[in-house]
Amino acid sequence: MSDVQEATNQLLDVNLCENQMSIQVTESGPRSESEHLQVTIGATVPTGFEQTAADEVREKLGSSCKISKDRGKIYFDISVDSLAQVHCLRSVDNLFVVVQEFKDYQFKETKEEVLKDFEDLAGKLPWSDPLKIWKINTSFKKKKTKRRKINPNLSKQKIDNGRGDTTVEKDVKEFTNSVSDSQILDCYENPAVKEEVSTLIGDDLTSCKDETEENSKEEADPEVLKFRVTCNRAGEKHCFSSNEAARDFGGAVQDYFKWKADMTNFDVEVLLNIHDNEIVVGIALTEESLHRRNITHFGPTTLRSTLAYGMLRLCAPQPTDIIVDPMCGTGAIPIEGATEWSNCYHIAGDNNPLAVNRAANNISSLLTKIQVKEGKLSLGLPIDTIQWDICNLPLRTGSVDIIVTDMPFGKRMGSKKRNWNLYPACLREMSRVCRPGTGRAVLLTQDKKCFAKALSGMGHLWRKVHTVWVNIGGLHAAVYLLKRTPQSFVHPSEQDGERCPW
């Protein structure tokens, strides 16, 4: 118990170095002990892009990475001084520090025995190091929050404290209606199997308290932490529900640490991830999904920044490449591209003036954020927005290196019937502007049958290289990586003057 008390009561003074993006513990803290601390970090990523996220971790952090059998999760080891760099990864949605992993957990035969094991488990876990990481991470987040409050422009933005948009194909049971399903589900996306997500609810503190009163109470009683336990269960062979696991394990955690259970205003979120016979206990390091980092003006089908990054990375952008999103919507893909691949030139276009306006506003908000962060005027981003007709792009033939776009699914935007005319026309115009021999295209769609039919008629211009199967809000979609063939584009005479069939 002494190690746990030391971890939970010890306040580490953390300084964030903006230039080096590293966290250093000051002389007042246990420097020698913390700077050599090694922990395992878990991350949720867009399903289908686990390998992309693992490659980014190896490239940017130099850490080996393991892809979990539970789709949409990766694990990697880091030292404490790499914690800030972890938050800068572009392909991860949510982060948590692993307390302990059980690769082949042996469940008892009866529900009562299993739940009793969960109760006993809480007191046997090595909480000390993960809680130290949580404290360092908390200090890091507080510094970022203070900086955000100073900026009057950003304070006007709507801050979403949830976990993301939506996912389906899950059985979700909640003890209360105070938190929406999407706040939990987006963090634990797993379309491959049926799963349950539940959260332990304790005695809720009065939610209508004034913020200053709440802060002063925390300062007066800093050792009493508030927590919740969220259980994510996937698999068909369990004799217990995620509700029951969260309740019994959470009760044991409360007894062990003497923390207060609080559903909404919690300090610590303990995660109990169960996938068949694999159990991972962790502590959340993110309060909201990192995929919302660049978007302030949302549209009806706004793409996650993490998914946009994965799509861009598939086509391996090179310096000076011209990258076009001809159906940009709110601009998630070109904005992500301009942020990460600033040595390329990005064009965001759409036929809808509202979408073009949203994309322009998102670019403006991002520039303001960069200026506030750097404390000086920004040189801008290598990106432009334009309203155009996807079937008649104002671009020279063979002038584009890469095309990356989210095509209309025919659900919220467009229709399945229109897609049968739209997709062939889009592919034809994309083949015209894309550079023969070296051009690439990464296209996302859920209307796979229509896309396959359109692509079959363009075999002389496009060659399918790779397909990534993804889950978009519960819809099974595909990301296609296409390579432009060396054959020159010849526009059929009978297609002259054709306009886009929207």
Side-chain angles (χ1 to χ4, degrees):
M1 186 66 180
S2 60
D3 290 340
V4 176
Q5 290 174 339
E6 178 185 358
T8 55
N9 297 332
Q10 186 179 51
L11 181 61
L12 300 176
D13 185 11
V14 179
N15 292 326
L16 172 65
C17 179
E18 290 281 348
N19 294 330
Q20 298 179 356
M21 288 305 294
S22 62
I23 292 180
Q24 298 178 343
V25 183
T26 62
E27 297 298 332
S28 60
R31 184 183 183 90
S32 60
E33 179 183 354
S34 296
E35 67 183 0
H36 300 298
L37 192 60
Q38 294 279 336
V39 293
T40 300
I41 299 295
T44 60
V45 303
T47 56
F49 283 92
E50 295 87 354
Q51 187 59 54
T52 300
D55 291 341
E56 186 192 13
V57 168
R58 296 187 190 101
E59 176 185 306
K60 296 183 178 179
L61 301 180
S63 302
S64 59
C65 189
K66 182 189 75 172
I67 298 175
S68 174
K69 293 183 294 184
D70 187 4
R71 288 196 70 194
K73 293 187 179 69
I74 62 172
Y75 297 95
F76 52 93
D77 297 330
I78 64 162
S79 59
V80 67
D81 59 351
S82 298
L83 187 57
Q85 286 93 324
V86 172
H87 281 271
C88 294
L89 293 173
R90 315 297 296 182
S91 56
V92 302
D93 288 322
N94 289 276
L95 298 165
F96 58 94
V97 57
V98 175
V99 177
Q100 190 165 348
E101 177 183 8
F102 302 90
K103 295 183 179 180
D104 189 19
Y105 188 87
Q106 299 299 316
F107 293 101
K108 299 291 179 60
E109 293 183 359
T110 66
K111 179 193 299 185
E112 291 73 18
E113 290 177 316
V114 173
L115 297 179
K116 182 62 170 61
D117 285 346
F118 283 151
E119 293 180 14
D120 297 338
L121 183 63
K124 300 176 182 178
L125 296 174
W127 296 98
S128 181
D129 286 352
L131 281 171
K132 290 176 183 177
I133 292 294
W134 170 82
K135 277 193 172 291
I136 295 173
N137 187 76
T138 300
S139 298
F140 169 55
K141 289 190 297 183
K142 283 181 179 178
K143 290 180 182 291
K144 291 173 64 178
T145 302
K146 288 179 181 178
R147 185 167 62 251
R148 184 181 299 141
K149 289 180 180 179
I150 293 174
N151 181 8
N153 293 324
L154 294 180
S155 65
K156 296 178 183 178
Q157 300 171 5
K158 181 180 177 182
I159 298 176
D160 184 359
N161 291 324
R163 293 284 183 176
D165 299 324
T166 56
T167 54
V168 297
E169 298 187 1
K170 299 169 185 266
D171 292 333
V172 182
K173 298 180 181 178
E174 292 291 349
F175 285 92
T176 183
N177 294 327
S178 60
V179 174
S180 65
D181 293 348
S182 62
Q183 288 177 301
I184 304 295
L185 293 182
D186 192 46
C187 181
Y188 308 109
E189 184 179 329
N190 189 341
V193 288
K194 178 181 177 182
E195 71 178 63
E196 293 181 347
V197 181
S198 297
T199 304
L200 167 73
I201 311 299
D203 297 327
D204 289 344
L205 297 181
T206 306
S207 58
C208 59
K209 289 183 179 179
D210 186 81
E211 184 178 352
T212 34
E213 293 180 1
E214 188 69 23
N215 291 338
S216 61
K217 180 178 179 180
E218 291 179 2
E219 293 176 1
D221 192 12
E223 295 184 1
V224 180
L225 295 177
K226 293 169 289 184
F227 85 106
R228 77 177 187 185
V229 170
T230 299
C231 178
N232 168 58
R233 185 182 69 85
E236 302 291 341
K237 298 181 180 180
H238 301 137
C239 61
F240 57 91
S241 68
S242 53
N243 283 354
E244 295 165 331
R247 179 196 64 206
D248 288 40
F249 181 72
V253 170
Q254 185 175 23
D255 293 340
Y256 186 63
F257 287 106
K258 307 304 179 185
W259 291 343
K260 282 188 176 181
D262 193 310
M263 177 62 182
T264 56
N265 298 316
F266 55 89
D267 301 302
V268 185
E269 182 176 21
V270 179
L271 307 176
L272 180 62
N273 296 331
I274 304 172
H275 182 263
D276 293 329
N277 287 335
E278 181 180 273
I279 293 181
V280 178
V281 180
I283 300 175
L285 298 179
T286 48
E287 295 177 0
E288 61 179 3
S289 179
L290 299 178
H291 80 262
R292 292 180 177 270
R293 54 183 172 258
N294 293 332
I295 305 300
T296 55
H297 296 73
F298 292 86
T301 58
T302 299
L303 195 67
R304 296 185 183 192
S305 295
T306 48
L307 184 54
Y309 173 84
M311 292 173 62
L312 284 158
R313 193 178 173 102
L314 272 181
C315 54
Q318 301 300 311
T320 72
D321 275 353
I322 296 176
I323 305 177
V324 174
D325 182 353
M327 295 178 279
C328 68
T330 54
I333 292 175
I335 289 175
E336 187 67 22
T339 305
E340 183 71 7
W341 289 275
S342 58
N343 52 8
C344 299
Y345 177 57
H346 305 263
I347 304 176
D350 203 287
N351 76 319
N352 190 329
L354 293 177
V356 175
N357 187 53
R358 290 191 190 104
N361 287 333
N362 282 323
I363 295 171
S364 178
S365 297
L366 181 58
L367 285 173
T368 302
K369 181 179 178 181
I370 293 174
Q371 290 172 2
V372 171
K373 180 178 179 180
E374 297 180 351
K376 61 181 180 180
L377 290 177
S378 173
L379 296 176
L381 293 171
I383 183 174
D384 277 318
T385 58
I386 185 172
Q387 183 179 349
W388 59 25
D389 178 0
I390 176 60
C391 302
N392 188 25
L393 298 175
L395 300 171
R396 290 181 179 178
T397 299
S399 61
V400 174
D401 296 288
I402 296 172
I403 295 175
V404 184
T405 197
D406 175 13
M407 303 184 75
F409 288 8
K411 300 282 187 180
R412 295 183 183 177
M413 296 295 293
S415 68
K416 295 279 188 179
K417 183 178 180 180
R418 290 182 180 180
N419 284 351
W420 286 99
N421 293 324
L422 174 65
Y423 279 23
C426 287
L427 285 176
R428 186 182 304 113
E429 184 67 356
M430 290 177 188
S431 65
R432 181 186 70 81
V433 301
C434 206
R435 204 179 303 278
T438 60
R440 292 93 75 198
V442 175
L443 309 177
L444 166 66
T445 180
Q446 187 263 342
D447 197 348
K448 300 179 285 293
K449 182 178 180 181
C450 180
F451 184 85
K453 176 67 175 177
L455 186 62
S456 65
M458 297 287 167
H460 60 294
L461 296 173
W462 291 109
R463 179 173 60 88
K464 186 170 69 173
V465 178
H466 185 54
T467 304
V468 177
W469 303 104
V470 297
N471 180 278
I472 309 293
L475 299 175
H476 294 282
V479 175
Y480 297 95
L481 172 60
L482 308 180
K483 181 74 177 294
R484 181 67 167 84
T485 65
Q487 183 170 332
S488 299
F489 176 83
V490 178
H491 206 296
S493 57
E494 62 270 17
Q495 298 297 329
D496 289 344
E498 179 182 337
R499 302 298 292 175
C500 189
W502 280 96

